[in-house]
Amino acid sequence: MARSPVGMPRHFTRQFPKRADELTEGGSLYWVIGGVVLVRQRVLEVRAETETDGSKLTALVLDPALVPVEAVPRRAFQGWRYLRPEDAPRDLGHTGNDEQMPEAMRRELAALGLI
């Protein structure tokens, strides 16, 4: 992940999202870590940019705050592609005492399909 000139983290992709407004109106990028969705970052801005070689790319400017979510096993996917609210993992704090569970235990239980 790169940082913009003003210090905000960015994630780059080749495709410009067709529904970019939805991403900047409360959308998030969900991070799959070791086969498990563990955190999300809110998308603040979608920018068309150009590589040094002239090729086009898209920068998703992200909120630097990482929001822990309930651990859900998932193969890597392009999380900004309009994950429906009912399919999105809930933020921790809404699911009981998960935020007190050690990270390694959350990952293992999620990989087993137990949480």
Side-chain angles (χ1 to χ4, degrees):
M1 183 173 326
R3 293 197 177 264
S4 68
V6 293
M8 298 299 284
R10 296 180 296 172
H11 180 72
F12 296 99
T13 182
R14 295 281 173 213
Q15 300 295 319
F16 193 90
K18 292 182 173 122
R19 296 162 31 194
D21 289 344
E22 291 179 43
L23 295 176
T24 58
E25 294 172 3
S28 291
L29 183 70
Y30 289 82
W31 292 101
V32 178
I33 303 165
V36 180
V37 177
L38 292 174
V39 297
R40 69 177 178 86
Q41 280 182 284
R42 207 164 48 92
V43 178
L44 303 176
E45 185 179 353
V46 179
R47 289 190 210 164
E49 295 193 6
T50 306
E51 284 273 21
T52 55
D53 66 2
S55 61
K56 305 238 183 255
L57 57 86
T58 298
L60 303 177
V61 180
L62 304 170
D63 185 326
L66 296 175
V67 179
V69 297
E70 63 183 356
V72 177
R74 184 104 185 230
R75 285 185 283 157
F77 67 105
Q78 290 185 326
W80 59 269
R81 288 193 184 264
Y82 322 109
L83 189 59
R84 296 181 316 200
E86 62 269 18
D87 295 335
R90 292 179 297 196
D91 292 351
L92 287 182
H94 299 256
T95 59
N97 293 324
D98 289 348
E99 64 273 7
Q100 297 173 7
M101 188 181 303
E103 184 64 34
M105 183 183 291
R106 274 193 338 121
R107 285 184 194 208
E108 188 170 341
L109 290 172
L112 295 169
L114 298 174
I115 61 169

